[in-house]
Amino acid sequence: MAPRPYWKGYLKLSLVTCPVAMSPATSESEKVRFHTLNRATGNRVVSQYVDSVTGKPVKDENEAKGYARGENDYVILTDDDLDAVALDTVRTIDIEKFVPAESIGWTYLEKAHYLAPDDPVGQEAFSVIRDAMKASGVVGVSKLVIGRRERAVILEPRDQGIILWTLRFGDEVRPAEPYFEEIDSGSERDALPLVEKLIKQRTKHWSPTMVTDPIRQALLALIAEKKKTLKPKKSTGRKEPAAPASNVVNIMDALRKSVEQDMKSRKAG
């Protein structure tokens, strides 16, 4: 069973819209994590915000975001202030343009998410957008607000769904030239056939088992031994949020209107 999606909204291309749900394609829940404890009591050590001047703990309701405009001088922004500047991309992934699938360097790809239709009625619109990108060999370019930050994203058709990749910003990716410019462009010709043969011998089909973590396995074995003398604590469940209302339109009507609208704009131009 697929995990609960953490974002729900709409996928939009011109006049074609369908409700979608997005879930992370990767998981960190399998990582071995440790808590900081008080060795003397065995209790967890809890971190909290403390006022830098009074030294007193700050209550949750008194916490606020602050933008520094000078030394010890801040502009305070509340949650209501931040919500007031919410963009359309909070709820809608509007595909603005398309680029060849192979034109985006892997260094720009940040985090992968699975995007799937969130309503049976919207599956046709979703499938048409997905299959059209596949046939054209392109990926869609859009924007999406994640964690109150608007991110550039690409939409890559994959199998029956779409992979949504968040992208690093241009100034976050270092150019490769300075690191590679002093490496010889040629290679030893006599050694090349031998290395190619070695590569062929070691080439296999990809499998996730190729990237296992032996340290994690050793830690889990150690933890399992220590857990034998401890009683596990019960965890509380979480309620499923209500799905957003659907605003799906007839896909063929929407496509016809989109094409007619595009033709009119070209003639007017």
Side-chain angles (χ1 to χ4, degrees), residues 35-258:
H35 295 286
T36 302
L37 305 179
N38 182 340
R39 184 188 293 272
T41 64
N43 299 328
R44 282 187 58 186
V45 175
V46 180
S47 61
Q48 59 182 174
Y49 288 107
V50 177
D51 190 297
S52 62
V53 177
T54 67
K56 295 181 179 180
V58 179
K59 295 181 179 179
D60 291 346
E61 60 268 23
N62 290 333
E63 293 177 10
K65 304 292 183 183
Y67 179 82
R69 62 179 180 181
E71 187 175 356
N72 296 323
D73 186 13
Y74 302 91
V75 176
I76 295 179
L77 299 174
T78 66
D79 287 341
D80 290 338
D81 293 329
L82 296 172
D83 290 339
V85 297
L87 304 172
D88 291 341
T89 47
V90 170
R91 299 296 292 166
T92 303
I93 305 170
D94 191 354
I95 305 179
E96 302 168 347
K97 58 181 73 105
F98 298 91
V99 299
E102 70 280 358
S103 65
I104 299 178
W106 67 267
T107 49
Y108 285 92
L109 303 179
E110 186 178 45
K111 190 172 182 179
H113 303 76
Y114 293 132
L115 196 67
D118 191 40
D119 189 316
V121 181
Q123 288 195 18
E124 183 182 3
F126 181 92
S127 299
V128 167
I129 294 173
R130 176 202 64 207
D131 292 344
M133 287 195 293
K134 278 185 182 180
S136 303
V138 299
V139 295
V141 180
S142 186
K143 295 178 181 178
L144 175 65
V145 172
I146 301 177
R148 286 203 173 106
R149 186 185 184 194
E150 186 174 67
R151 306 302 306 267
V153 300
I154 62 168
L155 294 94
E156 174 192 354
R158 182 80 62 86
D159 299 327
Q160 299 302 109
I162 291 175
I163 304 292
L164 182 146
W165 288 92
T166 55
L167 300 179
R168 295 183 176 90
F169 294 110
D171 56 1
E172 294 177 332
V173 178
R174 294 176 177 174
E177 289 78 7
Y179 301 93
F180 300 152
E181 61 186 359
E182 300 199 10
I183 300 176
D184 292 338
S185 58
S187 58
E188 182 60 46
R189 289 295 155 190
D190 292 339
L192 192 59
L194 294 175
V195 176
E196 289 176 346
K197 184 177 180 179
L198 180 62
I199 290 173
K200 185 176 181 180
Q201 290 174 345
R202 297 192 177 189
T203 299
K204 299 180 180 180
H205 291 291
W206 164 255
S207 169
T209 59
M210 295 179 179
V211 286
T212 55
D213 183 356
I215 294 179
R216 174 179 176 273
Q217 298 299 326
L219 283 172
L220 289 175
L222 175 62
I223 292 169
E225 286 296 318
K226 290 183 174 288
K227 282 176 66 176
K228 291 179 181 179
T229 59
L230 301 175
K231 293 182 179 180
K233 294 183 179 180
K234 295 181 179 180
S235 59
T236 58
R238 300 177 65 181
K239 293 183 178 180
E240 188 78 14
S246 172
N247 65 344
V248 178
V249 298
N250 182 279
I251 184 172
M252 293 308 299
D253 291 341
L255 287 172
R256 290 191 188 95
K257 289 179 181 178
S258 297

Side-chain angles (χ1 to χ4, degrees), residues 23-28 111-114:
S23 302
T26 58
S27 172
E28 296 189 354
K111 190 172 182 179
H113 303 76
Y114 293 132

